[in-house]
Amino acid sequence: MSNDTANKATVTTPSEREIHIERVFDAPRDRVFAAYTDPELIPQWWGPHGTETVVDVMEVEAGGSWRFVSRGDDGETAFRGTYREVTPPERIVQTFEWEGMPGHVSVETAQFEDLGERTKVVTTSIFHTPEERDGMLGSGMEKGMNETFERLDELLAR
Amino acid sequence: MSNDTANKATVTTPSEREIHIERVFDAPRDRVFAAYTDPELIPQWWGPHGTETVVDVMEVEAGGSWRFVSRGDDGETAFRGTYREVTPPERIVQTFEWEGMPGHVSVETAQFEDLGERTKVVTTSIFHTPEERDGMLGSGMEKGMNETFERLDELLAR
């Protein structure tokens, strides 16, 4: 069984303001958690294929800020937020804001489930309004997310 | 009729995630809008009695940031956010985050209604969860808000 078929993300919408994503990675939990929290590793996988991401700020602790600048085919853009909770290697809660729509802030909770040699990452995003949630779903998020997860597969396989 | 009885704020909760506040001020709309948007005026009224507020950042335009540092009896704290919309003299939409609970972000919409020599300010705050809304209601918000509005009355009377 190749990774391409085994580790597909599932995207569901449990309420009108939420997006729920599950994805399995072929690596132990500590390594997956490190990929999410190490500023040296973020540029190696964060963003769709062809994206160059620069970590501008990344204070991985409760109350800390983060800001990533991404350069791709469409030019340069940036994302930012605040860490609400960082509980290694289990859980990260953070806000997420695209600077193209400043002040539209979602809250992302990522749970890292230990499956032995594999890890399931369960991410729930909650938006202020159904319209903001639908805007994210309509933005090509799923394609970008799948490419991002493929890049993370590649990093974890190295 | 004195201001004390005439201009009392009304606080309602139209949904489980919202706080709705209405307050009339004895000044024309342009002056009330200026009090909300002029960094020179903010320190003269922002916060309960005895508070000293310093404007750290205040970029009053869509996408701009704001950050106010407040010193009072309980020590120093700070508040911050992003302006989503600034439409003089009618409307301000901004995020609001107390740095004591970083990553808990509400969205405040302030509408300035022209009543001739008076102005009604209608503010709606929407929180991510009912728990965050209830936390704000339980924080002594209403007392602090009424004192803040009294200070704004005094500024507008000068």
Side-chain angles (χ1 to χ4, degrees):
Chain A
M1 203 161 60
S2 77
N3 286 350
D4 292 342
T5 53
N7 295 341
K8 193 167 167 10
T10 59
V11 180
T12 55
T13 50
S15 80
E16 64 179 10
R17 293 194 292 126
E18 283 174 283
I19 302 174
H20 181 95
I21 298 165
E22 302 197 2
R23 177 62 149 80
V24 172
F25 296 94
D26 289 329
R29 183 163 66 165
D30 283 345
R31 290 195 58 221
V32 178
F33 192 85
Y36 275 76
T37 52
D38 182 340
E40 302 285 321
L41 296 179
I42 290 290
Q44 299 184 41
W45 69 275
W46 207 87
H49 294 306
T51 306
E52 189 186 330
T53 294
V54 174
V55 173
D56 177 32
V57 179
M58 193 171 170
E59 304 156 346
V60 189
E61 59 183 347
S65 298
W66 65 271
R67 182 171 186 271
F68 301 164
V69 179
S70 273
R71 261 181 236 107
D73 294 340
D74 302 336
E76 187 173 296
T77 191
F79 303 86
R80 68 185 178 198
T82 300
Y83 292 102
R84 268 166 49 163
E85 179 190 330
V86 180
T87 306
E90 287 168 21
R91 198 171 136 96
I92 302 167
V93 184
Q94 63 180 38
T95 62
F96 180 95
E97 186 179 0
W98 171 46
E99 292 189 359
M101 279 182 68
H104 294 261
V105 180
S106 59
V107 178
E108 287 187 357
T109 300
Q111 296 270 166
F112 299 78
E113 295 180 11
D114 184 350
L115 307 178
E117 292 306 302
R118 307 208 299 166
T119 304
K120 183 192 275 188
V121 181
V122 178
T123 306
T124 302
S125 296
I126 182 164
F127 296 79
H128 261 104
T129 63
E131 293 71 27
E132 285 171 75
R133 195 279 308 266
D134 292 344
M136 175 63 89
L137 287 173
S139 71
M141 175 208 87
E142 197 162 345
K143 179 170 182 288
M145 178 195 74
N146 284 324
E147 291 188 15
T148 298
F149 286 158
E150 284 165 24
R151 292 183 66 201
L152 180 50
D153 283 337
E154 290 161 17
L155 168 65
L156 295 168
R158 284 203 281 275
Chain B
M1 205 162 57
S2 79
N3 286 349
D4 292 342
T5 52
N7 295 340
K8 192 165 166 12
T10 59
V11 179
T12 56
T13 51
S15 80
E16 64 180 11
R17 293 194 292 125
E18 284 175 282
I19 301 174
H20 182 95
I21 297 165
E22 301 197 0
R23 176 64 149 78
V24 172
F25 296 94
D26 289 328
R29 182 162 69 166
D30 282 346
R31 290 194 59 221
V32 178
F33 192 85
Y36 275 75
T37 51
D38 182 341
E40 302 284 322
L41 297 180
I42 290 291
Q44 299 185 40
W45 69 275
W46 208 87
H49 294 306
T51 306
E52 189 186 331
T53 294
V54 174
V55 173
D56 177 31
V57 179
M58 193 171 170
E59 304 158 344
V60 189
E61 59 182 346
S65 299
W66 65 271
R67 183 172 186 269
F68 301 165
V69 180
S70 273
R71 261 179 235 110
D73 294 340
D74 302 335
E76 186 173 298
T77 191
F79 303 85
R80 68 185 178 198
T82 300
Y83 293 102
R84 267 165 50 163
E85 179 189 331
V86 180
T87 306
E90 286 168 22
R91 198 172 136 95
I92 302 167
V93 184
Q94 63 181 38
T95 63
F96 180 96
E97 186 178 0
W98 172 46
E99 292 189 359
M101 281 182 68
H104 294 262
V105 180
S106 60
V107 178
E108 287 187 356
T109 300
Q111 296 269 165
F112 299 78
E113 295 180 11
D114 184 352
L115 306 178
E117 290 306 302
R118 308 209 299 165
T119 304
K120 183 192 277 189
V121 181
V122 178
T123 306
T124 302
S125 295
I126 183 164
F127 296 79
H128 261 103
T129 63
E131 293 72 26
E132 286 172 73
R133 195 278 308 266
D134 292 344
M136 176 62 90
L137 287 174
S139 72
M141 175 208 86
E142 197 161 346
K143 178 169 182 289
M145 178 194 74
N146 284 325
E147 291 187 15
T148 298
F149 286 158
E150 284 164 26
R151 292 183 65 200
L152 180 51
D153 283 335
E154 290 161 17
L155 169 64
L156 294 169
R158 282 202 283 273

